[in-house]
Each structure stands twice: as C-alpha cells, then as structure tokens.
Amino acid sequence: MAKTSGSDLLVRFEAGIVEAVEYFRLDKHFQSARVLQNVEREIETALKSIQDETERSRVQAGVESVYGRYGETKLIRQIEGEVLNVLELARSEEDWTLSYDGSSAKVWYRAERAENSSKSNGLHAFKARAELNAPVVNLCALLNETELFAELFWFVRKSAALQDLGRFRKSFHMQWQLLWPLSDREAPLLGYGVDGLDEDNCFMTVTRSLAREDVDSSGKQLEYPEPSSGRGQPVRMRAECLGFHFEPIEPTKTRATVVARLDLLLPFVPVALVNYSSRYFIRLSLHMLEVKAREMLGASPDSNKHLKAMEREDRREVYAWIQSRLEEHWKRHGKLEEFQNNKIESAQFKRTTSMENVDTSANGPPAAVDKKLALQLLKKR
C-alpha cells in the first residue's frame, strides 16, 4: 500500500480543519470538537510515521500555517473541553449523591476533591433534572436574554451585558444574593449556546467564569471587569461550568438537566448548608424556567418582556435559527405540525410541579439547616 505524501496529508488536514470551523460557525460545537479531535489525532500519528526529518519539518510547518489561517481553532480547542465536560456531567451517573428525589425532579450533589487527595478543592458539583412542559425555543430565549435574569430569578440581584461575541455567544456580569448571613456573590461570565440536535438530540447552554486571557474569534482580548474591594462589597466567586442541557421529548415538553461546578468561596460553611441551599436554588431555577416559558405561550410582546426582547432587530436571527433547527428536528420525527401549533394540552397544566414535590431522600447530606448548624455557621464567620 502506497504511503500518503506530505502534501496529501496537509490537504486532508486542512479539509478537516475547515469542517471543524464550519461546524463552529454554526454553533454545532459537539461536532466541531469531535472533528478537531480526530483530525489532530490523525496528523499527530502521521507526523510520527514520517522518517525523513526534512519532510517531517516541512509538514509540521504546513500544519502551523493551516492553524494560522483559521484562528477559530484556538476557540474550538478551548470550547472542546468545556462542552464535552458539561455533556458528560449531564449524562453521567457515577459518583453523584442523590440529595432530592421528587416525583418530577431530582437533584444530585458531589463535593469535588483535589487531584490525588481526599481534601476538597473548593468546588461543589450539582445536577438537577426535570421534565418541563415548555418548548425548547422558549427555554433558550429565557437563558439568552441575560439582561432579564433579575426578573427571571429572584436570587439574581443584577445582570448586565458586557459584550456580544456572536449569534449565541456573549459575556455578561451577574450578582447573586445568598441566604442570610452570607454576602452577595458576583462574577463576570462567558456563555454560549450549543446546537447538538444532529448527533446528541439536545440544545445546550454553557457558562463559565470569564478569564483575563479570554479572546474573541479574531484573537482580541475581551473586556474584563475587576472585582470590587472594600467592606460590604460582593465576593467574586468562580464558576468552572454551568450548563443547561435541553432534550426535546415532545414539541412542548423538554427534559431539562442543569449541571454546575462552582466555588462559592465558602470555606467555613458546612457541606450540609451548601447542599441545602444549592438544592433549593437549583430546583427553583428549573421551576421558574418552566413557569416563565409557559407564560410566553399565547402572550404578546407588549405584555411579555422576553417576547419583546425576541423581536429586537439584533435578536431575530438567533431565534429564527433555533426555530428552523427545531422544525428540522420535528419534521424528522413526524411532529412538525404539532410543533408549529405550539400548544400544550390543558391536562399538562394540572400536574404537580417540581417545587411541590416532597423530599423523600433518605441518604446524602442533611436536608435542612437546623439551629445547631446555623449557630456553627455564625460562629465560624
């Protein structure tokens, strides 16, 4: 069998990079990440097999030249770990402790450990799953309109846009209020959407803390707000990842999974309080998403701020894209007409919501903060 020439290797490598970049520009980040992984693995193996040092150097230089022509590869490589990590967290079953087991919602908790150590690294991982009677496009709209988060979630004190970086990619700043007597937490964040309908049957949003070294697709550094200092100022927390995974079950029914790995900078707060608070906030988040998404059905832009935001000139492309992708999805599943009607049967409104479930968990961290625990918390502060 004839060996592949260095020139042929470079042609094939560039074709793979082009494919990864095209997926990236379409927000199909799962496919983009997988294509990039495969093409880089192939070129690495091919380079090792080239015996002639001069030819190997020539091909290596050609590889670097291809990377230089497609600057998005740096972002794809960065996003690759983020999106696949959130997808793995959403689908994994191992090492999670079930801390809330309701009839229509479940919450899991996991204290993260430092590498090769039994000590905590400060991160806490949370996961919740519920089936929501709401269409995916409405849920995506609620999460895309970051400026309206304070109206969506009562525990969000402030939310302000920093930079629009693409169709479904932006940086923004948020401030949260925690349970008394804890100070507010704040963080600049970077978030983007993922179209995973083709291979992974989902839409997903991924958010993490904005870093000083973050850049846009052209390599320009992003704006980074410095934390405030002084007594009474909110504490800057770290969000390693926060993801919402939406799997369409029916045109107006969605299986929603939210995963988070956060360092709230609460070194002296007992795990029981972190578990209790997170379980409450994460369930409440899913519940409010469902309520607000359902309110959008049949409402008008004049009476609904999220619908009004969707009508803005700079937002129409985003929602037209999501709508068209969902139309393709439901057409493949023979439910296009039902999707276009966009109706929820009245019987679905009678079901018990996730916030009305009774905690039936018999294991995991304590479910509530008792008097002794509260005194312990106050003493350690």
Side-chain angles (χ1 to χ4, degrees):
M1 185 175 178
K3 290 184 178 180
T4 304
S5 70
S7 297
D8 289 341
L9 285 174
L10 288 173
V11 168
R12 196 162 64 198
F13 175 72
E14 182 163 9
I17 293 296
V18 168
E19 183 182 8
V21 168
E22 287 176 348
Y23 279 135
F24 174 82
R25 291 172 179 172
L26 292 171
D27 297 296
K28 296 182 178 184
H29 297 310
F30 294 134
Q31 289 156 279
S32 179
R34 289 165 184 152
V35 169
L36 184 63
Q37 282 182 341
N38 290 336
V39 73
E40 290 189 328
R41 192 181 300 117
E42 288 176 4
I43 197 66
E44 183 180 353
T45 301
L47 282 168
K48 289 178 179 178
S49 69
I50 299 175
Q51 300 299 316
D52 183 79
E53 188 175 335
T54 302
E55 176 67 359
R56 185 166 59 248
S57 297
R58 185 185 74 81
V59 174
Q60 183 64 62
V63 168
E64 296 304 322
S65 177
V66 171
Y67 281 137
R69 291 197 293 276
Y70 301 95
E72 293 98 330
T73 53
K74 293 180 181 179
L75 278 179
I76 297 171
R77 198 175 292 113
Q78 179 188 80
I79 287 174
E80 171 187 310
E82 296 170 0
V83 297
L84 297 180
N85 178 49
V86 171
L87 186 64
E88 189 276 331
L89 286 173
R91 293 178 172 176
S92 67
E93 301 294 337
E94 297 181 4
D95 300 325
W96 292 96
T97 298
L98 184 65
S99 62
Y100 177 84
D101 190 7
S103 61
S104 60
K106 298 182 187 298
V107 182
W108 294 265
Y109 171 80
R110 184 172 74 192
E112 301 288 285
R113 304 295 177 190
E115 189 175 353
N116 300 320
S117 172
S118 60
K119 294 183 179 180
S120 171
N121 61 5
L123 287 169
H124 298 270
F126 315 106
K127 177 166 66 172
R129 182 175 295 131
E131 292 188 0
L132 310 182
N133 287 315
V136 170
V137 65
N138 290 18
L139 295 169
C140 288
L142 293 174
L143 294 178
N144 189 49
E145 300 304 328
T146 55
E147 299 94 323
L148 298 176
F149 276 1
E151 301 205 13
L152 180 60
F153 306 116
W154 68 262
F155 49 84
V156 174
R157 198 181 295 277
K158 298 177 184 176
S159 184
L162 294 176
Q163 291 178 271
D164 277 326
L165 304 169
R167 178 170 57 183
F168 207 2
R169 182 179 177 87
K170 64 179 66 178
S171 59
F172 55 103
H173 185 270
M174 287 184 67
Q175 181 175 332
W176 301 263
Q177 53 180 315
L178 300 187
L179 298 176
W180 181 89
L182 302 173
S183 301
D184 283 6
R185 293 304 189 260
E186 59 84 23
L189 301 165
L190 178 67
Y192 53 89
V194 182
D195 174 5
L197 284 177
D198 290 343
E199 295 182 354
D200 298 275
N201 193 40
C202 70
F203 262 105
M204 198 167 78
T205 65
V206 177
T207 303
R208 62 165 173 82
S209 287
L210 185 68
R212 285 185 176 87
E213 59 271 19
D214 277 326
V215 297
D216 62 18
S217 58
S218 68
K220 183 179 179 182
Q221 190 167 3
L222 302 185
E223 298 174 13
Y224 183 84
E226 296 295 335
S228 303
S229 60
R231 188 176 180 83
Q233 294 298 317
V235 176
R236 176 152 295 183
M237 56 167 278
R238 176 167 64 99
E240 185 167 294
C241 74
L242 175 62
F244 283 85
H245 178 277
F246 296 132
E247 180 184 351
I249 302 173
E250 297 290 341
T252 52
K253 190 168 187 175
T254 305
R255 181 177 293 112
T257 304
V258 55
V259 296
R261 297 183 76 230
L262 310 172
D263 182 357
L264 299 171
L265 296 182
L266 300 172
F268 300 113
V269 175
V271 170
L273 179 59
V274 176
N275 173 59
Y276 169 79
S277 304
S278 62
R279 181 174 58 195
Y280 174 73
F281 284 118
I282 204 167
R283 286 170 53 219
L284 181 62
S285 297
L286 286 175
H287 174 71
M288 292 309 300
L289 280 173
E290 179 181 43
V291 169
K292 294 296 185 180
R294 284 172 18 178
E295 285 179 358
M296 293 168 70
L297 296 173
S300 69
D302 293 332
S303 62
N304 188 287
K305 290 184 178 181
H306 285 92
L307 286 175
K308 189 173 184 178
M310 291 173 71
E311 291 293 313
R312 283 171 44 185
E313 189 69 33
D314 60 338
R315 293 288 198 268
R316 289 177 185 171
E317 181 190 355
V318 177
Y319 302 112
W321 159 65
I322 297 175
Q323 191 80 2
S324 65
R325 292 291 291 129
L326 287 167
E327 285 180 355
E328 293 172 16
H329 174 81
W330 290 119
K331 185 177 182 179
R332 289 197 301 268
H333 290 77
K335 295 186 177 182
L336 179 59
E337 186 176 352
E338 184 180 347
F339 170 73
Q340 291 173 334
N341 288 337
N342 208 23
K343 294 178 180 178
I344 292 180
E345 298 297 329
S346 59
Q348 291 180 325
F349 284 93
K350 297 178 182 179
R351 74 163 179 84
T352 302
T353 69
S354 58
M355 293 304 296
E356 295 168 338
N357 292 321
V358 178
D359 190 344
T360 60
S361 176
N363 53 20
V369 183
D370 58 19
K371 183 177 179 180
K372 182 178 179 181
L373 186 58
L375 290 173
Q376 179 186 3
L377 170 64
L378 291 172
K379 187 181 294 185
K380 289 188 175 181
R381 280 183 67 82

